[in-house]
Amino acid sequence: MAYTLAGQATYQEDIKKSRFLVFASPVRTPDEAMAFFAAHAVGEATHNCWAYRIGNEYRFNDDGEPGGTAGRPILQAIEGQDCDRVAVLVVRWFGGIKLGPGGLIRAYGGAAAQCLRLAEKIEIVDEVELDCSCAFSDMALVQSRFASVEIRVLHEAFDAEGVQWRLALPRGRADEFLRLFTDLTRGQGRLTGSDPEWGLTP
């Protein structure tokens, strides 16, 4: 079971006169993570170290700290809290006392972990995306059933034929919606998806 954050979170801690300020945020893409880091980095701080994990993708950055003492411990904190689709930035102001490699690892990893521990988390639901279109005459009826199968509308467009939706829904509800959509449109609607497990093809 994996979790993301319900919203942005912050945490601050002083360790041997160095100040550590943590910013954490839910993110859906690497570009979103990098934009979050750029928006919250503090130019006058000594270091702005970060990490993100989004599914199988991850990156981390030590920003001048000794290799492996900042970015990787932040990433390990994300993983240790069972988090995914999360970006964490740890800003450090050096206070004059060197922490040493072990101290840095504990400080960066510990501050990141504490921020995530205190943040409100939500469970990540495994979703599938699909494209769906139907006539205007069926639109209201189909749309009225979206909530019952936990559908999120990602995009909506119209043409002379009717409506086109890009939808996201829990993987476990996909077969149910396929049957429902076929019934409601009397087989006239079009539904395509990229998930081989339930037989739809793009």
Side-chain angles (χ1 to χ4, degrees):
M1 194 176 294
Y3 300 88
T4 189
L5 303 184
Q8 290 191 14
T10 59
Y11 172 76
Q12 185 172 305
E13 184 176 355
D14 291 338
I15 300 171
K16 292 187 177 177
K17 297 189 177 180
S18 279
R19 181 151 58 102
F20 291 84
L21 177 60
V22 187
F23 298 97
S25 178
V27 290
R28 297 189 71 88
T29 65
D31 285 348
E32 203 176 310
M34 298 310 294
F36 171 73
F37 299 141
H40 291 81
V42 180
E44 64 270 21
T46 319
H47 302 281
N48 288 272
C49 306
W50 52 260
Y52 69 77
R53 174 173 282 287
I54 303 167
N56 293 323
E57 290 189 71
Y58 63 87
R59 273 183 67 191
F60 54 85
N61 188 302
D62 294 316
D63 191 33
E65 294 283 29
T69 63
R72 184 173 287 282
I74 297 169
L75 177 64
Q76 289 169 338
I78 295 171
E79 295 169 340
Q81 293 289 314
D82 296 321
C83 287
D84 190 4
R85 303 182 197 168
V86 168
V88 177
L89 169 70
V90 182
V91 182
R92 180 193 181 196
W93 287 264
F94 179 56
I97 299 175
K98 291 189 175 181
L99 301 180
L104 288 171
I105 290 170
R106 286 190 297 274
Y108 278 100
Q114 186 65 1
C115 181
L116 294 173
R117 200 173 287 122
L118 296 172
E120 183 184 351
K121 298 188 219 20
I122 51 176
E123 185 181 344
I124 292 175
V125 176
D126 185 19
E127 290 184 324
V128 292
E129 290 186 9
L130 39 115
D131 293 303
C132 151
S133 59
C134 67
F136 286 118
S137 56
D138 296 322
M139 175 181 165
L141 185 58
V142 172
Q143 203 167 17
S144 72
R145 306 300 287 275
F146 282 176
S148 69
V149 284
E150 302 173 68
I151 279 177
R152 294 187 303 118
V153 178
L154 304 179
H155 181 71
E156 181 178 78
F158 304 96
D159 62 16
E161 304 294 316
V163 61
Q164 294 90 44
W165 289 299
R166 162 60 63 117
L167 307 174
L169 73 161
R171 186 180 299 276
R173 310 299 296 271
D175 284 329
E176 179 185 351
F177 179 65
L178 176 58
R179 291 190 298 272
L180 184 65
F181 182 75
T182 302
D183 289 344
L184 294 176
T185 64
R186 301 164 306 285
Q188 300 302 303
R190 294 187 302 279
L191 195 60
T192 57
S194 57
D195 196 318
E197 284 187 25
W198 51 291
L200 295 178
T201 54

